[in-house]
Amino acid sequence: MSEVSENCTHDCSSCGENCSSRTAGQTSFLEPLNPASSVDKVIGVVSGKGGVGKSLVTSLLAVKMNAKGKHTGILDADITGPSIPKAFGLGTDGISVTPDGLMVPATTATGISIMSANLLLDHDTDPVIWRGPVIAGAVKQFWQEALWENVDYLFVDMPPGTGDVPLTVFQSLPVNGIIIVTSPQELVSMIVSKAVNMAKKMNIPILGLVENMSYLECPDCGKKISVFGESHIDEIAKEFGLPVLAKLPITPAIASHVDAGTIEYLEEDWMESAAAKLMAL
């Protein structure tokens, strides 16, 4: 355990160090990773409400870091609404089991490791009708009972809100930081505040904000059109002292690649700042 840095601001929400100040007096609920697995950094992707594009942002982050030579993985913690496998073109037969009983994550075309409830179903349209504690238990199993081999960055795609699953992830996994995904509507300030305040209560570092559906670019003149109204992301970020890591446009290219299961081949530069933040960890 590291000592408190002489430059410590005592604001644990923006710090990734596991120093005595951050851990003093806390009971650890961390679940150990299987000895056969190796994960360097765990990054949560969260939001205070649904429909803002957490799965898209998770996918783009994994693809971007993978392209930079890092072995990335995705733990799809949105058990009842998993969409990660679809974006990567994976079917329901992607999971295998080792002789020791460990689940082997599915591997995408470019080598990204993925664990998702949809990979365990007979049909990808089958509903997962489970209560909260069972869902939280499945998330722990995806962490402990999967063979995560030499993963540099494991991205955890969480369901919306501040309920069972985010709480389980924050308490059970050694989360190095979270990225909060939002959209340009007026109520965003309140929604972001909920996610920020939960992270602070749990002493989880917040790496920054990503705004999805930020604008539509006119194909003729290049003008950026604010379809959902003017963005407030910069002022919200300033309020909380957080960086804006990306502003994603509304573009048919995203939808077509996700629908075709080819998100790995979407050419974009929107996530460069987010990647730089992750590399700095």
Side-chain angles (χ1 to χ4, degrees):
M1 184 181 296
S2 59
E3 297 297 326
V4 179
S5 166
E6 61 180 12
N7 297 319
C8 180
T9 63
H10 303 287
D11 180 10
C12 296
S13 65
S14 61
C15 176
E17 295 295 327
N18 289 314
C19 66
S20 56
S21 176
R22 184 178 177 191
T23 58
Q26 297 181 6
T27 300
S28 175
F29 295 98
L30 290 178
E31 298 288 348
L33 194 62
N34 186 281
S37 296
S38 173
V39 175
D40 189 15
K41 298 287 189 294
V42 178
I43 309 298
V45 182
V46 308
S47 80
K49 67 182 293 295
V52 298
K54 289 182 303 303
S55 296
L56 172 64
V57 170
T58 302
S59 300
L60 292 177
L61 287 170
V63 170
K64 179 64 71 174
M65 296 307 290
N66 189 58
K68 291 184 178 296
K70 302 297 181 181
H71 182 200
T72 61
I74 299 176
L75 192 162
D76 189 355
D78 194 351
I79 303 295
T80 60
S83 56
I84 293 292
K86 171 68 175 176
F88 287 89
L90 298 174
T92 56
D93 57 350
I95 299 294
S96 59
V97 180
T98 70
D100 296 331
L102 290 178
M103 295 178 286
V104 180
T107 303
T108 71
T110 61
I112 298 171
S113 300
I114 294 180
M115 276 297 303
S116 173
N118 249 26
L119 298 173
L120 302 173
L121 303 175
D122 291 331
H123 308 96
D124 60 10
T125 54
D126 290 346
V128 177
I129 309 174
W130 296 344
R131 293 193 182 275
V134 180
I135 294 173
V139 172
K140 290 183 183 180
Q141 283 184 292
F142 284 179
W143 168 250
Q144 289 184 293
E145 299 177 26
L147 182 59
W148 299 105
E149 292 189 284
N150 301 315
V151 173
D152 295 310
Y153 291 87
L154 181 66
F155 296 96
V156 183
D157 181 22
M158 291 201 238
T162 54
D164 282 337
V165 171
L167 182 60
T168 296
V169 171
F170 287 170
Q171 288 187 326
S172 303
L173 275 61
V175 180
N176 296 92
I178 64 167
I179 291 175
I180 300 174
V181 183
T182 183
S183 56
Q185 288 86 353
E186 281 282 356
L187 79 160
V188 163
S189 178
M190 178 188 69
I191 299 303
V192 171
S193 297
K194 288 180 181 292
V196 168
N197 289 332
M198 181 179 187
K200 287 185 175 181
K201 286 180 182 295
M202 303 296 294
N203 288 329
I204 302 295
I206 306 168
L207 303 180
L209 309 177
V210 171
E211 184 175 68
N212 189 29
M213 300 176 283
S214 185
Y215 59 90
L216 173 68
E217 187 170 324
C218 175
D220 295 323
C221 66
K223 179 181 178 181
K224 292 183 178 179
I225 304 167
S226 301
V227 177
F228 295 108
E230 289 301 317
S231 170
H232 301 278
I233 190 69
D234 291 315
E235 53 202 73
I236 294 170
K238 184 177 180 181
E239 176 185 348
F240 292 109
L242 298 171
V244 177
L245 300 178
K247 295 181 181 180
L248 306 185
I250 300 171
T251 170
I254 292 177
S256 61
H257 277 284
V258 170
D259 290 344
T262 57
I263 192 68
E264 292 165 286
Y265 303 106
L266 173 65
E267 296 183 4
E268 53 80 20
D269 58 4
W270 316 306
M271 305 303 289
E272 285 297 335
S273 293
K277 184 75 174 183
L278 292 171
M279 294 290 278
L281 291 176

